[in-house]
Amino acid sequence: MTSRSRVVVVGHGMVGNKVVEALVRRGATQSWDIVVLGEERRAAYDRVHLSKLFEGADPSSLDLTDPSVYGDPAVSLVASSPVVSIDRNLKLVEVAGGTTYSYDVLVMATGSSAFVPPVPGHDLEGCFVYRRVEDVEAIRSWASGRAHGVVIGAGLLGLEAANALRLCGLATEVVEIAPRPMPVQVDETGGEVLTRRIEEHGLAVHTGTVLASVEAGGDGAVAGVRLSVAGDPDDTAYLATEMVVFAAGIRPRDELARACGLEVGPRGGIVVDERCCTSDASIYAVGECALAAGRIHGLVAPGYQMARVVAENICGGEASFFPSDTPTKLKLLGVDVASFGDARAASDGASTLVYTDHTSRVHRRLVTAADGRLIGGVLVGDASGFESMVAVAAGDMDPPGDMVDLLMPVRAVDGAPAAGKAVLHPNATVCSCENVSAGAICSAIDSALADTGAADVGAVKARTGAGTGCGGCLPQVTDLLNRRLDEAGVAPSRRLCEHFSQSRQDLSEIVRLTGVSPFAELVSRYGSGAGCEICKPTVASILASVAGGHILDGEGASLQDTNDHHLANLQRDGTYSVVPRVPGGEITPDKLVVLGEVARRYGLYVKITGGQRIDLLGARVDDLPSIWAELVDAGFESGHAYGKAVRTVKSCVGTTWCRFGVQDSTTLAIDLELRYRGLRSPHKIKMAVSGCARECAEAQGKDVGVIATERGWNLYVCGNGGTKPRHADLLASDLDTDTLVRYIDRFLIYYIRTADRLQRTSSWLDAMEGGIEHLRRVVVDDSLGLAEELETAMAAHVARYRCEWAETLADPVRLRRFRSFVNTEESDPDIAFVEERSQPRPVMAVRR
Amino acid sequence: VTTRRWVRVCSRAELEPGRGVAALVDGRQVAVFLLPSLPGASGASGGREPAVRLRAIDNHDPATGANVLSRGLLGSTGDVDYVASPMRKHRYDLDSGRCLDGAGSVPGVRVWPVRSWGGTVEVLSVVGETAEAVRTHCPFCALQCGMRVRGSGGGVRWRGCGGWTHPLFPVPG
């Protein structure tokens, strides 16, 4: 048995750790002892992911040491032992404190240090580097309670440091001497796109800018930096800040090597050959301290490659390190940045293929050699297909016939086909709020398709403004969209929004069948992302119609739009309207007096609505609870004017007073209104009952209209006033009251379960295959066998109805949201009124 | 003279995930939001540190003139978290204040620095600021203070209402 030899590894960073690991894995410990001398208190950790510490990770989660490696008795790790000198003649290293270790083979893995430009003030209190766990801890503790920071350097490390400061809550600015961020990885246009992306995160990037000095304040700590324009040192500006983080590159730590006479490069770095051997045959150097093939390799991948080469050579093998361009793909500040090969087209005869979309901030560039081979590329904002590109460039994959196929972003397509609908003339106005024609919408759809390969309602809204006003035209916009997509051969999507690919109907089924109820669970199991102003209220409505319960209970509060959240209708000046229920439009003189008194006491504007009730407008959010307390005391209840719900049942006076009446329309209207009050639905539901064929209650313009006949009631459905008036269709004739109510029960629940979001009954019926005939078969003939289930669902609703306002008033927690400001009892000072025709009228303050 | 100070809004516990509150801060209305935490989210993109879920912007909706943004619903599109105004559904990016709708015709809103500090939510108040602010997001103070950054010529140029220095950070001496 030969005597054992000893490898000493100087430095326990990522690469030093890899050397040890590679040696142990190769079985080197059978004949070698391994000593690792670490400078830091900590064993090797993942420096690449230091930023995780700012996201709340524990430093121990970055640990890289493998117990099976360091558990080997031949391996000893000595931490907190910086090497102070190397004696190459005696083959000894000495660490701080005087202990010496002899070696047969020495591996230098001393890494690098952050480059701190030697400007005046670079070492003031409040100046940091971004390199070690300790740096992160120091940055974090200094940043807390401060508001502004500057990062020097907009490379990979600089942007990571900038994001870290941002996560600490600091307004952060990045200073970069080069004309673009990440100058090594991206080209000029890529830099522009990247800059826009970074700025979207609230970070400012100053390119072409040099740090001239760091200036101290009265307390001796950093108070600002003086910057100058690159190439013009006299053009300076002062930027006040509270801390500076240097991330302007690295310098190899070669001081030990210099001191013991190893060859180093003119700009630093321990010179090594392709075997990673230094000028001394028994000393290797790896990682960022090594100058291999004439340059320093700052990424971890080539460092690991060198570690394996050295381990192989120590074990008697013959391995060489051939630096190759490492393809890099990163996600910084949520932005994909990737590059490979000759990204900047520096080779002779190289030509480029470029796709730049400044709107969605995507830049992709492929570089081909004179013979057409793919030799490099840069991707900013969208790195899809990167792996294929690298594979093609490496010859691992056949190049596509047309390189453009590789260049274009990869997109997913989903959705289901839609049905055809009536054609709108191009000049027809669809959105009256923004005055947008059908033709304009179609061309917006076309250009969205051309630009992005996809189009949805959101894209139409963003491009034309249609639907951003009252939103009444959205169903028409959706129809136009589906038609256009159909024509273009693109499958339209019934997806509710960005977060749910399902339609409202599908979601309603999911909720009803699975019973999944918290929104967060629904969106994580069946959707994606965090939700939005479209899917949240939709889900809240589905939950309300399936499960009942107070709409503001639990997480319901965060899903409701402001009308439902405050149980009142938001008006243009930020005040609310109050509309108590007046069933059938019948009201006692006493109640009428109460309404008048409340209006007078709170300075409200009064108007009679089209639904035969009384609208009190101009109520401040703070006043809503006390207004409602008085109303509830007087026997009023919520009128649900704020909700997508059953609103009113309008009526005439019928046989009670009218000379022509044939049935008691008022009583029926009151009964229906009390039966269906509070029913949540895809859109508002209006009803009416007329006592004779003269139709004074205008029942044929309602979602549900009832007209008295000599023999009973005729039931009309799916009428509409509003944007697109539509006469109701006769569903059944001469019904007795019980049958009438059963049919209405079935009709309403069927609509609630199957309609799309914000689809009134009229457009629901228009889109229904088979139209009124089909609806009649379902409701009257029970062709789907659903009648009993639908009636049961309605019975459950009727049984669990409670007045939302009475319940809210009884709950101090729910009452908390009725305040103008969370930090003062003051009311919104900008709400003001003038008098017009003896009533208040809002004045909109013009601010700023 | 411009002064800046952190002003208490409410206790952290008073904020409901997914909703906002309005606060009166030195006479200005600020809407403060707590982004919802998502059980499914993890990793660098989805997992958010609690302190980082706070956002604050003007309560004033420039599209309609009403002080209502605190009552809007929060939503996300791609990586952007926004609030949709309850008035006419204009969406404002909570990180930049930019309006995502109206094709550039609607000005953005101010973004206010906000933090959670010992269980208390605070926003950075700036008093004595120049009124006729240019509506750009200032990197110096994270407010729309009138500062303009990045002029022509490639180099860094900033000149705002306060001349060559920032109104919030005067040159010492």
Side-chain angles (χ1 to χ4, degrees), chain A residues 687-712:
Chain A
M687 305 191 192
V689 182
S690 280
C692 75
R694 284 176 179 74
E695 245 283 67
C696 295
E698 296 162 335
Q700 289 170 95
K702 306 295 184 206
D703 298 279
V704 175
V706 180
I707 300 176
T709 68
E710 298 287 347
R711 288 178 296 277

Side-chain angles (χ1 to χ4, degrees), chain A residues 54 145 148 199 204-205 239-240 468-469 498-499 531-533 536 557 560 565 571 574 576 822-823 828 830 848, chain B residues 9 16 19 22 24 28-29 49 58 67 71 74-78 82 86-88 115 117 139-140 150 156 169:
Chain A
F54 289 98
H148 189 274
E199 285 171 347
V205 185
L239 169 56
T468 57
E498 184 178 326
H499 308 96
C532 64
E533 77 282 7
K536 285 176 173 179
Q560 303 289 358
H565 197 239
Q571 303 300 321
Y576 289 86
V822 70
N823 61 343
D828 183 348
D830 291 340
R848 296 181 298 138
Chain B
V9 169
E16 229 176 304
R19 285 223 90 98
L24 203 53
R28 307 199 65 121
Q29 297 197 20
E49 193 185 9
D58 283 344
N67 302 318
R71 301 179 219 163
L74 299 186
S76 70
T77 173
Y82 62 80
M87 204 52 80
R88 289 178 66 163
R115 67 183 185 186
W117 200 243
F140 288 70
R150 299 182 63 81
V156 57
F169 298 95

Side-chain angles (χ1 to χ4, degrees), chain A residues 544-589:
Chain A
S545 55
V546 169
H550 197 282
I551 58 162
L552 300 184
D553 276 352
E555 65 153 12
S558 72
L559 303 180
Q560 303 289 358
D561 67 23
T562 183
N563 281 4
D564 274 313
H565 197 239
H566 291 99
L567 304 169
N569 276 36
L570 182 67
Q571 303 300 321
R572 64 177 305 162
D573 63 340
T575 64
Y576 289 86
S577 74
V578 169
V579 191
R581 185 168 300 289
V582 179
E586 184 184 270
I587 188 164
T588 64

Side-chain angles (χ1 to χ4, degrees), chain A residues 605-610 613-617 839:
Chain A
Y605 168 87
V606 184
K607 189 158 192 320
I608 311 291
T609 73
R613 31 192 203 179
I614 292 165
D615 206 346
L616 309 176
L617 293 107
Q839 288 220 74

Side-chain angles (χ1 to χ4, degrees), chain B residues 9-156:
Chain B
V9 169
C10 60
S11 82
R12 175 70 166 61
E14 277 178 87
L15 293 180
E16 229 176 304
R19 285 223 90 98
V21 296
L24 203 53
V25 176
D26 292 330
R28 307 199 65 121
Q29 297 197 20
V30 187
V32 181
F33 301 93
L34 180 60
L35 298 176
S37 60
L38 289 175
S42 62
S45 56
R48 292 189 184 101
E49 193 185 9
V52 179
R53 284 165 52 205
L54 286 169
R55 298 286 186 280
I57 59 171
D58 283 344
N59 192 33
H60 186 80
D61 176 4
T64 63
N67 302 318
V68 291
L69 292 185
S70 64
R71 301 179 219 163
L73 276 176
L74 299 186
S76 70
T77 173
D79 288 342
V80 177
D81 290 308
Y82 62 80
V83 62
S85 169
M87 204 52 80
R88 289 178 66 163
K89 302 286 185 281
H90 292 88
R91 298 170 300 162
Y92 297 93
D93 182 339
L94 291 174
D95 288 318
S96 70
R98 174 173 71 98
C99 181
L100 305 178
D101 298 299
S105 64
V106 179
V109 293
R110 253 177 191 246
V111 175
W112 294 67
V114 60
R115 67 183 185 186
S116 175
W117 200 243
T120 298
V121 177
E122 300 174 331
V123 297
L124 184 70
S125 163
V126 181
V127 180
E129 179 192 340
T130 312
E132 54 279 1
V134 182
R135 288 200 171 276
T136 49
H137 176 92
C138 172
F140 288 70
C141 60
L143 303 179
Q144 284 165 343
C145 58
M147 185 55 59
R148 288 194 33 221
V149 185
R150 299 182 63 81
S152 55
V156 57

